[in-house]
Amino acid sequence: MTNNQTKEIFAAKNREQVLQEMQRSPLDVLVIGGGITGAGIALDAAARGMKVALVEMQDFAAGTSSRSTKLVHGGLRYLKQFEIGVVAEVGKERAIVYENGPHVTTPEWMLLPLYKGGTFGKFSTSIGLRVYDFLAGVKRKERREMLSVADTLSKEPLLKRDGLKGGGYYVEYRTDDARLTIEVMKKAVETGALSVNYAKVETLRYGQDGKITGALVKDTISGKEFEIAAAKIINATGPWVDDIRQMDGSKKGKTLRLTKGVHIVFDKSRFPLRQAVYFDTPDGRMVFAIPRAGKTYFGTTDTNYKGNTVNPVMTLEDRTYLLQAVNFMFPSLKLVEEDVESSWAGLRPLIQQEGKSPSEISRRDEIFVSDSGLISIAGGKLTGYRKMAETVVNKVVELVGAEGGKSYAASETKRIPMSGGDLGGSAGFEAFVQRKTKEGAQFGFGKEEAAFLAQRYGSNVDALFALAKSASEQAAAFKLPLVLATQLRYSLEAEMTVKPADFFIRRTGDLFFRIGYVQQWKEPVIAAMAELLHWTQEQRDAYTVELEEKLVEAVEPLQA
């Protein structure tokens, strides 16, 4: 499939056409769920030559995959539980994600301050980090260091000094989780997958033998319904896995327990963090403080959740807890409610066994195959998405083989760059950005703007440069900055952006990290989208209200 065809097939205006294509003839695989796990499965299956389609009831990554701590973890926390195999696997997967998408993954040195009476002792941390380096296959230049008190404070002067014994210094990888998801999804589409957002499974279909054969899918934008038939159905819906299992009549044995994690964002002027920090709170929880693009974000909580799965939000209790934790570790800041610029809340789907205690809840991923043949993947972490996808598609291959069907090759995704990642690995990324920064001037972008686009979009930046001329018409007509108008056009034509919230939350992250920018440009962006996507007045009103609600939710805590 050429890049132009991919762009066409993943354009917002062509969603219905893609749904029609999905129902034209039976598929090998239908994936339900467009988070990072579903995107990874679609890519793996398409790369093995399967005819695969994916449907997502909201926007891509709208669930957990845009609401995480935004780290591709190396699995250090698993070392405390002596889960050696997990540390080794997660560390290796982290390196693969980085090499396949250096534009959405950035090495971030993490400081682990050590305090008298804290969870981490100096000797045990030194040994632990050394073992971690070995197990995770950490590059020589990224291996851990142990720091004195003075060195720890020189890295981060805001830290609490009372009881400080030194620090551990090691590398994590920061990511934009939603953009990571969209880049993997775009690569799946480039590889031959069909993928549509705002397409909800209404009913599962079965043959006379009781085996699952497909699904009735409703386009929630147009209201039209589509019958999609597939040999195998994969349920990769994260927090909604049990809802689909319930629909299948197979929700039993192991089920999900949801916990909520909340993050809050401060402007750097109020929280001038120099250095990412990972520390334990007085109640034994581990939290992160991470600098990002002129802001500092902080989290996370971990509370049982039984509320609205589609839209978890920060409560007053969540905000109070996080402010107490941040002021405990950074006492000179004296941060208050008014300093919180924005927030997000996400759900972790953990696996529990009926009759087992809460302490036996697993964060590992597991595959369930029901009597009808529905394949469900539950649990797991962002970092392990590629390996999870490989394991699920291996299960499909195994089942198809057992039924005397076609045989497929082994997974190739270790070596497949995600969309925008055709850069020859991480080593060439800086030189690529420098080259594109110079090139950007001829398309009307300033130096900083061109560098920003190259960093965010990687090898797809050429597609944005090519759009700049036609985007300049929208920029002029709606009084938008060229860099914003170009991103908007690209997201509509190549990233299936349907609503303003898709653009401001999941394609750019601006609602979390530049909420003032969203307030400034929301009206012209909505006007431009209304014209380009031919919205009715009713659609325009509804999407405007939705964005306004998201802006309020990000700032105002839910009153308990």
Side-chain angles (χ1 to χ4, degrees), residues 253-257 350-354 356 360-362:
K254 292 185 177 180
T255 57
L256 293 190
R257 192 185 94 184
L350 309 177
I351 299 167
Q352 64 182 4
Q353 176 79 43
E354 282 176 17
K356 293 279 182 86
E360 294 176 88
I361 287 168
S362 169

Side-chain angles (χ1 to χ4, degrees), residues 67 260 262 305 308 311-315 318 343-346 553-554 556-558:
R67 298 163 180 262
K260 185 178 74 167
V262 176
Y305 188 75
N308 180 348
N311 199 35
V313 293
M314 170 181 72
T315 64
D318 296 327
S343 69
W344 68 88
E553 283 166 8
E556 293 294 326
L558 185 71

Side-chain angles (χ1 to χ4, degrees), residues 205-271:
R205 298 298 195 209
Y206 299 87
Q208 288 181 329
D209 59 359
K211 296 296 180 187
I212 194 164
T213 58
L216 175 71
V217 173
K218 183 177 183 175
D219 176 1
T220 62
I221 304 299
S222 70
K224 292 181 182 174
E225 293 183 333
F226 300 83
E227 286 284 357
I228 300 171
K232 298 293 170 203
I233 315 282
I234 299 171
N235 170 18
T237 54
W240 295 271
V241 158
D242 277 353
D243 294 1
I244 300 292
R245 290 172 77 205
Q246 183 96 38
M247 206 184 272
D248 180 58
S250 59
K251 184 187 163 188
K252 57 191 176 198
K254 292 185 177 180
T255 57
L256 293 190
R257 192 185 94 184
L258 302 180
T259 69
K260 185 178 74 167
V262 176
H263 295 79
I264 53 178
V265 181
F266 303 91
D267 190 71
K268 205 168 182 180
S269 62
R270 273 304 281 125
F271 193 169

